[in-house]
Amino acid sequence: MRRRTLYRNGHVYVPTRGFPTAMLVDDTRVLWVGGEADADGQVDEAHRVVDLHGCLVTTPFVDPIHFVAESAEWRSLTQLTGARSLTEALDRLAAAARTSQGPVTGFGYDEGRWPEQRPPTPEELARAVEGRPAVILRADKGACVCSPAFTAGAAQVGVDTRSLADMTRRPGLGALLTGVVAQRTPAQQQAILDGALSAAAAHGIGCLHDHISSPRLLDGFTTTRPQLPGPIVQRYLRHVCRPDEDPAVLLREHDLHGFMLQVDGPVNSHQAALHETYIDLPGQVGPDPMPAETIAEHLVAASLAGIRTSLVAMGDRAADAMIDGMRTAVRTVGLDRFRSLRHRTMTLALADPRVLGTLIDLGVVVVRVPQVDSRWGGPEGDFTRALGTVRAREMMRFGSLGVDGLLTALASTSPWLDLDPWQTLRSARWHRFEEERVSVGEAFRAHTVGGWHASGHDTRGYLGVGLPADFVVWEVPPGELGEGPHSQLETPGLPRLRPEAPTPRALLTVVGGRTIHESEGALP
C-alpha cells in the first residue's frame, strides 16, 4: 500500500494556482494541492502529516551541465588558499594524509605570498605525505607540483608527465584528474562521487547531466546508482562519433545518455576560438575550433541513432563552426528528427543573429550560465581583460536575448561555478547590467521546467495533481519570501534573492516520491 504524506502550513509554489499552502503526495505522485482551509479534509487520507512551519515547497532544480568527477575532486581537495608559508602548506597536506586514503590533492597555493618565495619540491611534498601519491595545483591553475609516486602512477596510465613537471607550462586539468582517479581504488573513487551527488541533492537538485571529459573516468565506478538515493543522472561522454561506429553500442556499454562535443575552450584561459584577437594577447585568436565537417559528421551519426548531443562553443568562431555543422547535419537527418532530439549548446555568441536564429530554427536548447557574469564580468573581470569592454558585454547579454521560440535552461557548470541553484537565479536577477536582468520567476522556470525539457521530460518541473512527486522543502531566510511585487523582477511566492541575504536551505529533496536528501531533525 502506498503511504500518503500531507504537507501543510507552508507555501507551495504553483504559479497557476495562486498561493496554495498544502500538498498531499504518495510514494510516486502528487495527489492534491490546495489551501489551508481545505487541508483538514485531507488529514484522514494521510498516513503522516508534516507541519511545514512556513517553509517553501517547489519543484526540484535541474543542472544540465555538471562535471561530477571534477566536482567530487573539488570537494575532496586540501585547501591551501590562505596558507601563510611553505611550511604551513606542507603541514596542511600532512594532516590531510593522516585522515584520508588514496592520493592527496591540494589547491590554492601561491608561492609569491610566502616568505620562501617558492613552491615545495616534489621531494618535500613526498615527505609531507609520507610517500603517498600527491599533487597540488597553484591558485591560478598555471602550475602544479607532483610527488614522485604520483608522477610514476600517472605515467602508467598514459599521462604526459613532462607537462606536469614543467613549471612554465599550464598543466592539463584532464591529465591531472586522470592521474588522480587512476591511483584510487574503485571504492575510494565511488565514495567521492557519491559525496558529490549527495551535495547536489542537498542543494535541491533533482536531476543533473554529468559531462564526462574522458572515457577513463568511466572505469570502475558510476554516477548512476539506482540502489542509492540521489538525483537522476544523465551521463554525457566527450566523444566524436564517426560514420564507421555504432554510437548506440557505446551508450549501452557505459550507461550513457548522450555525447558532449567540445568545439572550443574557455575565454578566460584564451582557449575560445575568436574572429578578433584577444586584447591581452595581441595577434592571438585562440586555437582552431572543431571543424564544421566533423561536427556535422558526429550529429548525423548520433541523430540517426536517436542520441542527444551537448555542444560547448564559447567563442564566435566556434559558434559559426557549430551552426554550420548543425545545418549540414539537418540536410541528412531531417528537421523534424533533429528538433525532436533536443540537442543543446552552451555558447556565448548568442548576440549574433545568425547563431541565435539557427538555434531557434533547429530547436536547440540553449544552456545559459548567469554566474559567468557575476564571477568574471565587469570592468575588472577576466572577460573584459581578455576581450575589451564591448565584446565582453556582448558575451554577457542575458535578458535581452530572451526571444520567443528560444528554448532555455540554466546551469551551474559545477565545480567551475557555484553549485547552488539559487545563486544561479540571483546572478540572473541581479545581472550587472539592468537591461539584462530577468525576473526570479523566469529564471526559476528556466532552471526547472527548461532543464527537465532538456532532459526529455515534459511532465516534470511542475507541482500538480497526477504529476511525479518531485519537490523540495526550503527554509527561506526571514523577509525573503516574496509575497508581493516589491519590483517587477520579484516573483510572488519565490524568494526575493536580495544580494545581501543568504540563499534558501534545502531541508528535504524528493524525486519520484523517493527522498534523496533530508536535513536531520528539520521536519518532524
Side-chain angles (χ1 to χ4, degrees):
M1 181 179 179
R2 293 180 177 177
R3 293 186 59 81
R4 298 181 174 188
T5 302
L6 175 65
Y7 296 88
R8 63 182 304 180
N9 190 28
H11 302 273
V12 183
Y13 182 66
V14 184
T16 59
R17 292 286 302 273
F19 297 94
T21 63
M23 179 175 71
L24 181 69
V25 302
D26 68 10
D27 295 337
T28 60
R29 302 211 167 264
V30 177
L31 303 177
W32 173 85
V33 177
E36 204 61 31
D38 298 319
D40 289 339
Q42 301 295 324
V43 171
D44 291 342
E45 300 292 323
H47 297 90
R48 178 181 176 223
V49 178
V50 176
D51 189 337
L52 293 170
H53 296 288
C55 287
L56 172 67
V57 180
T58 73
T59 186
F61 290 100
V62 178
D63 194 353
I65 297 186
H66 194 109
F67 299 87
V68 174
E70 289 84 346
S71 296
E73 291 304 325
W74 183 256
R75 296 181 71 254
S76 67
L77 287 169
T78 300
Q79 289 297 328
L80 303 178
T81 304
R84 292 164 293 184
S85 67
L86 171 59
T87 299
E88 182 178 340
L90 291 173
D91 287 345
R92 291 187 185 186
L93 293 164
R98 289 192 294 270
T99 58
S100 65
Q101 296 179 322
V104 178
T105 57
F107 172 77
Y109 77 86
D110 184 353
E111 70 271 27
R113 297 178 179 271
W114 294 345
E116 297 89 349
Q117 291 290 298
R118 66 173 181 85
T121 65
E123 291 72 26
E124 288 172 329
L125 180 57
R127 285 196 293 273
V129 299
E130 299 183 347
R132 295 251 299 275
V135 57
I136 59 174
L137 188 63
R138 199 166 66 192
D140 64 358
K141 306 183 185 72
C144 66
V145 180
C146 306
S147 72
F150 180 88
T151 301
Q156 290 179 0
V157 293
V159 172
D160 180 5
T161 55
R162 293 171 300 177
S163 66
L164 303 183
D166 186 350
M167 299 295 286
T168 66
R169 294 171 59 184
R170 177 178 289 271
L173 298 183
L176 284 177
L177 183 59
T178 299
V180 170
V181 171
Q183 297 181 71
R184 287 199 185 104
T185 66
Q188 290 168 354
Q189 183 63 18
Q190 189 66 65
I192 289 175
L193 289 174
D194 290 346
L197 295 178
S198 295
H203 281 87
I205 295 172
C207 175
L208 60 83
H209 300 179
D210 182 14
H211 284 51
I212 303 164
S213 58
S214 167
R216 289 188 180 276
L217 300 178
L218 296 168
D219 294 340
F221 52 88
T222 180
T223 52
T224 53
R225 304 182 76 192
Q227 72 276 22
L228 294 179
I232 296 170
V233 179
Q234 295 186 353
R235 305 206 302 174
Y236 289 76
L237 175 65
R238 183 174 176 176
H239 176 77
V240 181
C241 294
R242 302 297 182 185
D244 58 349
E245 69 177 339
D246 182 355
V249 172
L250 190 59
L251 257 70
R252 288 193 298 270
E253 287 179 352
H254 296 296
D255 192 20
L256 302 174
H257 196 85
F259 297 112
M260 171 180 62
L261 288 190
Q262 190 82 38
V263 182
D264 70 344
V267 171
N268 47 356
S269 60
H270 304 98
Q271 297 300 302
L274 307 177
H275 285 300
E276 298 180 24
T277 182
Y278 284 96
I279 297 297
D280 57 348
L281 284 179
Q284 301 296 315
V285 294
D288 287 338
M290 183 179 291
E293 296 79 8
T294 302
I295 296 170
E297 189 176 79
H298 166 91
L299 288 172
V300 168
S303 299
L304 291 178
I307 299 168
R308 188 173 299 138
T309 296
S310 176
L311 300 98
V312 178
M314 306 309 288
D316 48 11
R317 190 157 53 103
D320 284 348
M322 176 181 70
I323 63 170
D324 287 346
M326 287 179 174
R327 289 200 173 278
T328 300
V330 166
R331 288 197 286 270
T332 299
V333 174
L335 180 59
D336 290 345
R337 187 183 187 99
F338 192 93
R339 289 177 62 94
S340 71
L341 289 169
R342 305 182 189 185
H343 298 300
R344 98 282 298 270
T345 182
M346 179 172 68
T347 181
L348 295 173
L350 293 175
D352 183 338
R354 180 171 172 263
V355 173
L356 186 62
T358 297
L359 298 176
I360 292 173
D361 290 346
L362 302 186
V364 177
V365 178
V366 176
V367 179
R368 312 298 306 276
V369 186
Q371 290 187 67
V372 169
D373 169 67
S374 55
R375 177 73 64 86
W376 295 311
E380 304 301 322
D382 289 357
F383 276 57
T384 299
R385 286 196 295 269
L387 304 173
T389 302
V390 174
R391 281 194 292 162
R393 182 162 181 171
E394 283 291 284
M395 281 193 167
M396 296 296 170
R397 287 179 63 184
F398 192 76
S400 63
L401 295 174
V403 298
D404 289 343
L406 182 65
L407 303 172
T408 304
L410 301 187
S412 73
T413 69
S414 174
W416 318 125
L417 291 165
D418 197 328
L419 173 64
D420 186 357
W422 292 112
Q423 187 59 45
T424 296
L425 265 62
R426 176 149 56 195
S427 295
R429 161 65 179 89
W430 296 99
H431 194 288
R432 67 184 66 247
F433 299 114
E434 287 192 24
E435 63 271 24
E436 302 301 340
R437 295 174 180 173
V438 301
S439 71
V440 175
E442 185 178 352
F444 181 84
R445 179 178 174 82
H447 214 345
T448 54
V449 176
W452 284 114
H453 174 83
S455 307
H457 296 281
D458 290 331
T459 60
R460 305 186 101 143
Y462 309 91
L463 291 177
V465 175
L467 296 180
D470 304 332
F471 62 95
V472 186
V473 177
W474 301 96
E475 180 183 60
V476 181
E480 271 294 283
L481 192 60
E483 297 180 354
H486 294 269
S487 85
Q488 62 179 359
L489 296 182
E490 292 182 6
T491 301
L494 287 176
R496 299 170 67 186
L497 300 180
R498 290 174 293 184
E500 70 278 6
T503 55
R505 180 171 73 100
L507 304 181
L508 178 70
T509 307
V510 176
V511 176
R514 188 183 193 196
T515 298
I516 65 172
H517 163 74
E518 186 170 11
S519 295
E520 186 175 356
L523 294 172

